[in-house]
Amino acid sequence: MTQAEIKLCSLLLQEHFGEIVEKIGTHLIKTGNQPLRVIANDTGMSLDQVKKALCVLIQHNLVTYQLQKRGFVEYEASCSRVLRILRYPRYIYTAKTLYSDMGELIVEELLLNGKMTMSAVVRKVANRLTETMEDGKTMDYGEVSNTFVRLADTHFIQRCPMAPETTETSDAPPPPVPTLAVNEKDMYVVPSLNLIGKGKRRRSFDDEDNSEHKAKRQKQDADGKEPPPDDGIYWQANIDRFHQHFRDQAIVSAVANRMDQTSSEIVRTMLRMSEITTSSNAPYTQPLSSNEIFRSLPAGYNIVKQILDQYLTLLADDPLEFVGKSGDSGGGMYAINLHKALATLATATLESIVQERFGSRCARIFRLLLRKKHLEQKQVEDFAMIPAKEAKDMLYKMLSENFVSLQEIPKTPDHAPSRTFYLYTVNTLSSARMLLHRCYKSVANLIERRQYETKENKRLLEKSQRVEAILASMQATGAEEVQLQEIEEMITAPERQQLENLKRNVNKIDASENQVDETIFVLESYIESTVKKL
């Protein structure tokens, strides 16, 4: 784990959970497994504060715990899981794209709260959707439940591990740490709830005053009520499934750029058919016959079987090797080589970065080394058709930035320079790791810049929020246009311009964060798949 990763984790924890949780989380990331009292002693915080911070981190799946042989419980923070916070907007946007506003809000609630029961999610989402609807219209619980079931069926959300049920008659003392487990068969099974009702709007202040005694009575009644039927069955967002979707989208996009739209649609169909049956870290998808692929193509996609077979043959013969042929039964069996696809995407990312940083000639040398594996300096000059002096400068520049490495092959045991071959090569894995480290540093710098921009304009932002609140309350009471205009003029023209500049800068920083995260995802996926293969 690098310093850049620790710094980024610290910034993300502070931004989303506050200083106390950030201090505990960062301490655990730096030190590894720690028992409760050691954490409190090292951080200088009270036991109560440490317990609450750990509860927050465990609720959001950022910290795990385990019982040691000597009888005490140790807590461990997951750095990789903290870094996933950066990708939350992308998860939410994906849910919106696939399952409209309901899917977006369901995933958003699960990510914001860590774990929730289905009944709580459905009620909260229905209430939020009702708030945005016209007066007199409400959102039915049944519609939200249906979207929840669809998300579970496609594995975008999953059940959390549960503690085993204990019988009240057993005399054995409860274990010091509950052993959480979930049956794989039940992981995506939605409990059969008969949720009947509609979303509710927030009451106005007058209504709250009038119905205060009524609310108290309802609360007393609720205390005596039975727990909901799904009490204890908690759900969370399945981050691995979202990553699988991102990977599939990247592969489809790469095929579309390489060949054409029809090829990408065939690959999309193959990935869609095997998305549930193939695990997120599998090297290949399940083999599919040509006949199965033909039957599963989208309804509006009118291509005959013969054309499909030609496209599949072209994809299988392509040098990228995204699609491989694994048999001849059923018109030919085809599978997608996922690890090969990730390696190609990572290599394309490296080439793009070399071109942007060092220019097209350096990119030519870099591609040459990728293709030929090992070359001497003279061979690089000849193959790339670049003058000796320029080729030497470019190679040394990339060598100093760790994009290219130098391998010595001595002819004699004394390693004399005159009797040694010096071969340039590209180690894709180490280059990807180096770039990933730089990406983490870039995101940390972007977050710090956004915090600085917001802090510098804090007074102006607070003033703007006050004015907006006054305007909203006056509009609700039916104020005249002249009065509203007077309130709006409380913010001067230069201040308004400053607010516009701040908004534009923050939007640019947010967009940059998302773009860097796309690069991080490709590099992380490639490194993970390569390490598993080794």
Side-chain angles (χ1 to χ4, degrees):
M1 193 188 312
T2 61
Q3 286 299 316
E5 285 175 276
I6 294 169
K7 185 183 177 182
L8 181 53
C9 286
S10 174
L11 287 166
L12 289 168
L13 288 171
Q14 186 177 11
E15 196 171 34
H16 288 80
F17 303 108
E19 286 184 15
I20 295 173
V21 174
E22 179 268 322
K23 195 171 183 182
I24 301 296
T26 308
H27 174 73
L28 283 173
I29 288 168
K30 286 179 179 175
T31 56
N33 295 15
Q34 291 274 323
L36 179 65
R37 292 195 178 275
V38 174
I39 297 168
N41 187 46
D42 289 352
T43 55
M45 291 187 174
S46 66
L47 273 176
D48 189 46
Q49 283 180 317
V50 175
K51 283 178 183 176
K52 285 176 180 175
L54 286 171
C55 281
V56 170
L57 291 165
I58 291 168
Q59 171 75 12
H60 287 268
N61 306 308
L62 305 176
V63 162
T64 54
Y65 53 84
Q66 56 186 357
L67 184 67
Q68 293 299 313
K69 290 177 182 176
R70 284 182 283 177
F72 56 84
V73 180
E74 284 192 335
Y75 298 89
E76 182 183 9
S78 169
C79 178
S80 61
R81 186 60 187 76
V82 175
L83 292 173
R84 294 295 83 85
I85 295 172
L86 189 64
R87 214 162 282 158
Y88 279 9
R90 208 169 159 199
Y91 301 145
I92 294 165
Y93 180 72
T94 301
K96 182 183 175 72
T97 309
L98 298 173
Y99 299 100
S100 73
D101 292 344
M102 281 186 222
E104 174 194 9
L105 292 180
I106 289 168
V107 171
E108 186 181 332
E109 287 296 333
L110 288 172
L111 289 172
L112 288 176
N113 294 284
K115 303 177 179 76
M116 286 179 84
T117 60
M118 178 182 171
S119 53
V121 173
V122 169
R123 286 195 189 93
K124 203 161 184 182
V125 169
N127 292 345
R128 283 181 65 180
L129 286 168
T130 302
E131 292 267 334
T132 60
M133 295 170 90
E134 297 172 13
D135 290 339
K137 290 186 178 180
T138 54
M139 178 54 65
D140 192 64
Y141 286 171
E143 289 184 53
V144 183
S145 295
N146 290 341
T147 307
F148 193 98
V149 171
R150 285 166 63 204
L151 279 162
D153 287 343
T154 49
H155 298 187
F156 281 105
I157 56 175
Q158 62 183 14
R159 283 194 189 191
C160 300
M162 296 191 303
E165 292 181 10
T166 53
T167 54
E168 294 179 8
T169 53
S170 62
D171 298 329
V177 175
T179 306
L180 303 179
V182 64
N183 190 344
E184 282 192 24
K185 291 178 183 176
D186 299 333
M187 195 175 274
Y188 306 103
V189 176
V190 179
S192 54
L193 301 177
N194 191 16
L195 292 171
I196 301 168
K198 295 180 183 294
K200 296 171 186 174
R201 296 177 192 275
R202 289 180 189 170
R203 294 194 191 92
S204 64
F205 294 114
D206 296 335
D207 292 343
E208 281 180 10
D209 293 338
N210 295 335
S211 60
E212 193 175 344
H213 66 282
K214 188 177 174 184
K216 283 180 182 174
R217 190 170 67 249
Q218 283 176 347
K219 190 177 179 185
Q220 287 168 358
D221 294 343
D223 291 340
K225 272 186 187 174
E226 289 183 10
D230 66 337
D231 188 40
I233 302 174
Y234 287 90
W235 292 82
Q236 63 187 359
N238 184 0
I239 284 174
D240 287 341
R241 178 67 184 85
F242 278 102
H243 288 176
Q244 190 179 337
H245 178 77
F246 298 155
R247 180 201 66 199
D248 293 352
Q249 292 296 99
I251 291 171
V252 169
S253 177
V255 172
N257 292 336
R258 170 83 176 177
M259 300 180 80
D260 65 354
Q261 200 61 41
T262 308
S263 303
S264 69
E265 199 58 49
I266 292 165
V267 171
R268 189 197 303 276
T269 304
M270 291 173 71
L271 289 165
R272 194 177 64 244
M273 288 168 73
S274 57
E275 64 186 359
I276 303 297
T277 55
T278 307
S279 66
S280 56
N281 56 4
Y284 294 90
T285 59
Q286 295 292 332
L288 300 163
S289 72
S290 171
N291 295 328
E292 285 178 309
I293 297 166
F294 182 68
R295 285 195 296 270
S296 300
L297 282 170
Y301 227 76
N302 296 321
I303 62 168
V304 294
K305 177 73 167 59
Q306 190 181 357
I307 300 292
L308 173 67
D309 289 339
Q310 288 174 2
Y311 267 108
L312 287 168
T313 306
L314 274 172
L315 284 163
D317 293 342
D318 190 76
L320 288 182
E321 298 174 7
F322 277 19
V323 176
K325 192 170 183 180
S326 58
D328 294 315
S329 57
M333 300 293 287
Y334 296 91
I336 294 172
N337 188 338
L338 299 171
H339 283 186
K340 178 69 177 173
L342 286 171
T344 305
L345 290 170
T347 305
T349 303
L350 288 171
E351 286 179 20
S352 172
I353 289 166
V354 168
Q355 179 148 345
E356 291 299 318
R357 287 197 64 177
F358 306 113
S360 58
R361 287 189 162 194
C362 277
R364 193 195 306 171
I365 293 172
F366 190 78
R367 279 193 290 269
L368 181 67
L369 290 172
L370 280 170
R371 191 168 292 116
K372 300 286 187 181
K373 306 298 182 191
H374 295 86
L375 289 174
E376 287 188 273
Q377 188 175 309
K378 183 73 175 69
Q379 291 174 308
V380 170
E381 295 161 14
D382 294 341
F383 284 129
M385 292 185 290
I386 294 173
K389 190 181 175 186
E390 286 181 38
K392 190 188 290 184
D393 287 345
M394 289 171 186
L395 281 167
Y396 287 175
K397 200 186 290 181
M398 288 192 283
L399 186 65
S400 64
E401 295 280 348
N402 296 321
F403 284 98
V404 168
S405 56
L406 193 62
Q407 189 173 346
E408 296 180 9
I409 301 177
K411 293 178 189 175
T412 53
D414 61 353
H415 285 260
S418 58
R419 292 185 295 278
T420 303
F421 292 112
Y422 293 95
L423 302 178
Y424 288 95
T425 185
V426 174
N427 187 334
T428 315
L429 188 60
S430 66
S431 298
R433 284 198 172 113
M434 177 268 294
L435 274 178
L436 185 60
H437 174 71
R438 287 189 181 179
C439 286
Y440 288 142
K441 285 177 79 172
S442 301
V443 176
N445 290 343
L446 286 166
I447 293 172
E448 284 182 330
R449 183 68 200 180
R450 186 177 62 234
Q451 288 175 348
Y452 171 78
E453 290 278 347
T454 312
K455 191 177 177 183
E456 283 291 298
N457 297 279
K458 189 179 178 183
R459 185 196 60 78
L460 190 57
L461 285 167
E462 286 173 354
K463 183 181 177 181
S464 171
Q465 286 167 357
R466 283 198 303 272
V467 169
E468 284 173 9
I470 294 165
L471 278 171
S473 62
M474 288 182 75
Q475 282 171 346
T477 53
E480 294 178 7
E481 192 65 37
V482 180
Q483 291 174 308
L484 293 174
Q485 199 170 347
E486 282 178 10
I487 299 296
E488 282 178 1
E489 286 171 0
M490 287 170 68
I491 297 179
T492 61
E495 285 178 331
R496 208 173 290 283
Q497 183 63 43
Q498 198 175 339
L499 278 169
E500 284 294 318
N501 289 340
L502 173 65
K503 189 178 176 183
R504 189 168 61 250
N505 290 342
V506 169
N507 286 344
K508 275 184 186 175
I509 289 168
D510 288 342
S512 301
E513 269 183 51
N514 290 332
Q515 286 169 348
V516 175
D517 182 59
E518 286 179 23
T519 307
I520 288 173
F521 172 72
V522 170
L523 295 174
E524 276 182 344
S525 302
Y526 164 67
I527 291 165
E528 193 180 335
S529 67
T530 309
V531 168
K532 276 179 184 168
K533 214 163 33 175
L534 295 173

